Amino acid sequence: MVYSVSMRVILAVLFVCVVVAGSGRSGELLEGMHTSFERVVLSLFPSSERAYQYGARHFSSHNAAAYDPDTALAFFLTSAALDARHPFAVHEIARLYFLKGDFAQALSYSNIQVRYHGAAYPNAYYVRGLIKGFMGDYDGARRDYEEYLRSDVTNWAALNDYAWVLLKAGRANAAAIATARGLTHFPQNPWLLNSRAIALAELGQLREARDAARDAVRASMQLTEEEWLIAYPGNDPRVAAQGILTLQESTRRNLGAVNGR
Amino acid sequence: MGVRKLTSFNCPFYAQWELLLYSVTVTMSTMTWHSLAASSVALREWKRPIVITALLLGAFAIVDASLFLQTPFVSSEVRFADASPGGFLIVPASCPSSPSNSDYPHNTCSATCPNGLNINQYPSCTCPGGQVQSGSQCVCPSGQTWNGSQCIATSGGCTAQYFCASGASCTGSGDTLCYRNAACSASVIFNPCQFGCSGGACNGAPAPVIDITVNPSLIRRGETTHVIWNASFVSSCTVTEDNSSVSDAWSCSTQSSCAASHDNLSSALSERTTYVLSCTGLNGSQVTDSAILNIIPIFQET
């Protein structure tokens, strides 16, 4: 009888496994167990690098099932607590606080990252520039972007963001130069085209601004979610469509505003 | 299933023991969960396995739904568009923020040279100043060297330079300043350097050395004295005095004439006189020295 019950239970379990696997939700179910497993392993065998790798897994736009900024932050904080000099743990903490909208926390962690790892990993400056820009410190952001661009002269996102803070500081001419530099290598980049259209419009070069704005609208309409996630790493893959919409609406409004002048 | 999922993470830090532990954890979790459910129903109602299955499916469905309904994380970037001074909407991006290529490699946002050159070093993707590509770098062709702005010929194995040598043959070491071009042809620039040659250049002139004396320095009223003066490393000198009743003055105007020793006889003097030697050094500096002649006083008994 015991044998018979066991066999039925096993058969039931196998049946459930087959059904769950077939439902397409097995990834999420296993993900919960996987995270528990990570926590258990980390408790038994604490390691800064292991905690960082676990955090990175939950912070990847590639893995929608595992993506969880709160879990990622907890792992990164553990990583930093186990080794304050880990090359990327503090960097990722700053990014996560930034994405969560806690710019003060993000800036404090970003300052630490720049101090200890800025020379080896210049994108610490880029992240701090981004945070400062969102906080309205455009001059500070400009300096950080310039520092980053010394090591990555053709990075379109850095050039676009550099143009952003220059425009906010009323330096449209410098912004036009920065966007032109980026468009040399990325002629169809919608972010660069949009920023260039704005710079030219601010300079009163409406004809050229209109052309750039039109190109920006066209390029933004062709943007894919994969491309958007490359432009905004660390974001939830499920919100890529919203992000694309923000850019598309901005380019359309800008084209309308330029046409109205 | 667990193993397949694990490998899809592409995480290099899982050791074999972790893989094993993970498999055991998943298996035990699954079995424990289902065994508990089974024990509550199937052990008592073991004749109704369909009910057990239905209950388990229900539990999965609840968990599944709760996972499925999780709200997506909308970060500060997703809906952000900043207004320019003219009211246009700027949209920043954040491509290079990911470190160490852990998520999307940030270098996917940077251009690369189609010819493989390092674009950060050569933004135009072309080699400057006559250099040719070697891998991701640019180098001067064989037989040429980079002088900071272009490649120059080093045919014959020479690098154009100034150097110190001896005599007109520009060989060995000495005080002759020579120049050798890239074709290894040497020529004399200064032979010899007046103050020696070192480090591929003539040494500069030393500081001037001057001296003036009067002999005797004490005379009776109406007598004369000798004004003696010397100067080294100077290009010109003048000797003047401050006695309004005489007009003694001497000078030299070349390095060689000034280098000689000078002994000039003064006019007859009746009062205290100061002779001043002023010279211009070969190094451009101005120097002065002076000597005083005194008159023996005359005492009268009253």
Side-chain angles (χ1 to χ4, degrees), chain A residues 8 34 161 202 232 235 242, chain B residues 9 46 75 79 84 92-93:
Chain A
R8 283 189 178 121
H34 192 166
D161 294 3
E202 298 276 8
Y232 297 93
N235 273 275
Q242 287 183 53
Chain B
F9 296 147
W46 60 273
S75 77
R79 293 171 185 152
S84 74

Side-chain angles (χ1 to χ4, degrees), chain A residues 132-149:
Chain A
K132 286 179 178 175
F134 270 68
M135 295 176 83
D137 176 9
Y138 301 114
D139 198 46
R142 176 187 58 76
R143 285 195 296 273
D144 280 340
Y145 285 139
E146 284 172 353
E147 183 65 35
Y148 177 73
L149 281 166

Side-chain angles (χ1 to χ4, degrees), chain B residues 155-254:
Chain B
S155 55
C158 292
T159 301
Q161 62 177 340
Y162 289 92
F163 63 101
C164 297
S166 66
S169 59
C170 285
T171 57
S173 60
D175 287 342
T176 299
L177 177 63
C178 297
Y179 175 76
R180 182 185 292 123
N181 62 20
C184 295
S185 173
S187 56
V188 174
I189 305 301
F190 286 108
N191 183 19
C193 289
Q194 190 177 348
F195 304 105
C197 181
S198 61
C202 289
N203 294 329
V209 179
I210 64 172
D211 181 52
I212 185 170
T213 57
V214 286
N215 188 25
S217 60
L218 187 63
I219 61 172
R220 291 188 180 84
R221 189 185 300 269
E223 289 182 345
T224 61
T225 187
H226 289 269
V227 180
I228 302 160
W229 52 282
N230 297 289
S232 301
F233 311 122
V234 297
S235 58
S236 63
C237 292
T238 58
V239 178
T240 56
E241 35 71 29
D242 63 351
N243 189 334
S244 58
S245 58
V246 297
S247 57
D248 288 342
W250 305 279
S251 66
C252 63
S253 57
T254 63

Side-chain angles (χ1 to χ4, degrees), chain A residues 200-224:
Chain A
L200 294 171
E202 298 276 8
L203 290 169
Q205 300 174 27
L206 295 179
R207 189 173 168 183
E208 294 84 351
R210 197 170 294 120
D211 289 343
R214 195 177 296 120
D215 289 345
V217 170
R218 195 176 295 127
S220 70
M221 297 304 288
Q222 294 170 351
L223 197 63
T224 65

Side-chain angles (χ1 to χ4, degrees), chain A residues 39-59:
Chain A
R39 291 196 177 105
V40 169
V41 170
L42 201 56
S43 301
L44 293 172
F45 309 102
S47 154
S48 176
E49 181 57 29
R50 181 177 288 115
Y52 174 78
Q53 292 297 335
Y54 290 165
R57 200 178 70 80
H58 291 282
F59 195 30

